[in-house]
Amino acid sequence: MISSQRQHLILSRLRTRGAVRITALSKELGVSAMTIRRDIADLADKGLLKRVHGGAVTTSTLLSEPLFSVKSQMDIGLKDAIAQEAVRYVAPGDVIAIGGGTTAYVFAQHLLESQQSSGITILTNSIPVAELVQALESKDIEVIVTGGVITRSNSLVGPIADKVIESLRVNTVFLGSHSVSIPRGFLMPNSLEAATDMAMMDIADRTIILTDHTKWSSTSLSLFARFDQVDTVITDDGLDPDSTARTKELVKELVLVHQNENAQGDE
């Protein structure tokens, strides 16, 4: 298969899935990961897609986002490293909120495998997180689901979700972010999801954002948090020095974690 054919197929996969992984394309097309990287780089230069860690996403992500099932396969090593660090911010018996998105889901996975999850209560608008707790069948962990309208990222949002949230109180809320804009703050493509994230921040004593370094190079429609509304941002050390310095000036605490070594080959 020549390069133009491969690139046509890559764009076709993006149209239907919203995102693609280098490793999956390499296996599907029977070529090296380096060949796929060159194809993606060429398409990115033409403005036909956006390169991200481990693959590519459609350029239409300003107003929409890939399905949860697609996003969960992107940037796995980065999400793992961020999630493991975030677990340190939970104590047994805490009442916490976990937002939607795949990084928050990976955080929930690591949290439920840790001793810090003992006796905790989780408020979430994430269907996958709720299912994760239910599958655990632990009598020691309580989960409260907001209800609401389901998004492409399998999050529950809208007035119903916001009404449930505003009647509660949590120690800490853990949220993902679709993009980070300096100096504006943290954004989502879905305005209803942004509003629900804001509602969770309003009932929390502490707000922690979990997001990898690639989010500083993307953009979205709806702002849900300014830097001065966030207590801690946990990201990876792939964040460039300029963005790191500027973010440190704007946020109370910036934590940089080292990416898990076992995922380096997915770049």
Side-chain angles (χ1 to χ4, degrees):
M1 184 180 293
I2 62 175
S3 61
S4 61
Q5 292 173 317
R6 289 194 307 270
Q7 291 178 16
H8 178 78
L9 186 141
I10 291 170
L11 292 175
S12 176
R13 295 292 182 270
L14 278 175
R15 281 192 293 272
T16 57
R17 301 174 184 173
V20 292
R21 284 183 59 78
I22 290 172
T23 51
L25 288 170
S26 176
K27 291 177 182 178
E28 180 180 357
L29 299 178
V31 297
S32 69
M34 183 60 68
T35 296
I36 298 299
R37 288 192 186 94
R38 285 197 294 265
D39 287 335
I40 288 176
D42 187 33
L43 291 168
D45 289 341
K46 297 174 182 176
L48 298 175
L49 55 74
K50 176 178 171 55
R51 298 174 67 182
V52 297
H53 183 86
V57 297
T58 175
T59 53
S60 65
T61 53
L62 176 62
L63 299 178
S64 63
E65 58 184 326
L67 294 169
F68 183 92
S69 58
V70 174
K71 291 176 64 180
S72 63
Q73 298 302 311
M74 305 299 293
D75 307 327
I76 296 173
L78 303 182
K79 293 170 185 172
D80 269 332
I82 292 166
Q84 288 170 14
E85 176 66 21
V87 170
R88 296 177 55 250
Y89 289 78
V90 181
D94 272 356
V95 179
I96 67 171
I98 301 177
T102 53
T103 304
Y105 176 76
V106 175
F107 160 66
Q109 287 180 310
H110 284 283
L111 175 61
L112 295 175
E113 293 170 357
S114 73
Q115 294 182 345
Q116 280 95 318
S117 66
S118 176
I120 66 172
T121 298
I122 299 173
L123 168 67
T124 187
N125 70 323
S126 167
I127 294 174
V129 169
E131 291 176 338
L132 192 64
V133 180
Q134 183 182 34
L136 192 65
E137 296 183 348
S138 171
K139 296 180 180 179
D140 195 35
I141 301 172
E142 182 178 2
V143 62
I144 302 169
V145 184
T146 64
V149 178
I150 303 175
T151 69
R152 284 173 59 88
S153 61
N154 280 7
S155 299
L156 296 164
V157 301
I160 295 174
D162 299 348
K163 190 69 175 178
V164 171
I165 292 167
E166 69 183 23
S167 66
L168 302 171
R169 190 74 190 176
V170 300
N171 301 122
T172 308
V173 59
F174 296 86
L175 299 171
S177 179
H178 188 266
S179 62
V180 183
S181 174
I182 298 175
R184 291 185 65 202
F186 305 89
L187 302 101
M188 287 287 181
N190 185 316
S191 59
L192 288 177
E193 188 164 7
T196 299
D197 283 351
M198 286 190 280
M200 285 200 280
M201 289 173 57
D202 285 342
I203 66 161
D205 297 326
R206 178 174 60 174
T207 297
I208 298 178
I209 301 292
L210 313 177
T211 190
D212 68 77
H213 75 275
T214 65
K215 303 304 190 297
W216 271 258
S217 59
S218 62
T219 189
S220 295
L221 181 66
S222 301
L223 182 75
F224 71 89
R226 302 188 310 271
F227 282 99
D228 62 3
Q229 294 176 301
V230 173
D231 296 282
T232 300
V233 176
I234 303 177
T235 188
D236 62 277
D237 57 5
L239 188 62
D240 66 88
D242 180 62
S243 295
T244 298
R246 295 178 68 190
T247 302
K248 282 183 176 179
E249 294 175 354
L250 294 167
V251 75
K252 296 173 186 176
E253 181 185 29
L254 176 65
V255 179
L256 301 177
V257 298
H258 185 63
Q259 179 188 353
N260 288 354
E261 295 294 341
N262 59 11
Q264 293 289 340
D266 287 341
E267 291 185 335

